[in-house]
Amino acid sequence: MIWCFYLFYSYRNNPLSLDMIVSPMKGKNEFTVTLQVKNNVGQCMVVKVSTVMNPSIKYLSAHAIYTSCLCSANKYFWDIQVSDNTALQGKAEVVPAKSICPDDEKIFPVTSYVETATQKIIVS
């Protein structure tokens, strides 16, 4: 038996909202993790998106860390294999703009904001 949970964070005063979905794959205890990061302000921002390392989780391709210009919403993906019941934490951090967003975009000035989402993963 495989359990999937859906978690959604959204607050009006936060510049980011995270939506994490963990979906089963065909392999035993293998899952695709989708983390949608939504920009809640009217300006683009540079975000660094990652998952926190966990000894119960093996990344099937790579433990990717994404950096992108976020003007509305983007989805980020990881394929994982889980050895035990565990929790996976996704993280989006607003970081200083380093030629990531186009020069003509108005950039959100805050560069120290972090939002997280945690998802429980149950294996059988």
Side-chain angles (χ1 to χ4, degrees):
M1 175 186 288
I2 297 174
W3 295 84
C4 290
F5 298 95
Y6 180 78
L7 183 63
F8 182 71
Y9 283 94
S10 179
Y11 300 101
R12 288 186 177 211
N13 295 330
N14 293 350
L16 299 174
S17 299
L18 304 184
D19 180 9
M20 180 185 277
I21 299 172
V22 178
S23 305
M25 294 171 52
K26 290 183 181 182
K28 182 175 178 159
N29 299 332
E30 293 181 354
F31 303 88
T32 295
V33 177
T34 304
L35 183 63
Q36 179 172 307
V37 181
K38 181 181 175 192
N39 181 333
N40 295 328
V41 297
Q43 298 170 310
C44 295
M45 61 183 76
V46 177
V47 293
K48 180 178 169 183
V49 180
S50 62
T51 57
V52 176
M53 289 298 292
N54 179 324
S56 297
I57 297 173
K58 176 184 174 186
Y59 291 85
L60 298 177
S61 52
H63 182 215
I65 299 172
Y66 301 94
T67 302
S68 65
C69 183
L70 183 69
C71 297
S72 58
N74 284 339
K75 291 182 180 179
Y76 306 90
F77 302 92
W78 298 266
D79 289 334
I80 62 172
Q81 185 174 41
V82 179
S83 59
D84 296 306
N85 294 345
T86 192
L88 175 65
Q89 185 175 44
K91 178 171 76 170
E93 177 181 5
V94 180
V95 296
K98 294 180 181 176
S99 301
I100 303 292
C101 291
D103 291 335
D104 58 342
E105 291 290 344
K106 189 172 182 182
I107 305 299
F108 186 65
V110 174
T111 59
S112 60
Y113 181 81
V114 177
E115 183 71 36
T116 62
T118 302
Q119 182 78 315
K120 291 182 181 179
I121 302 172
I122 308 299
V123 297
S124 55

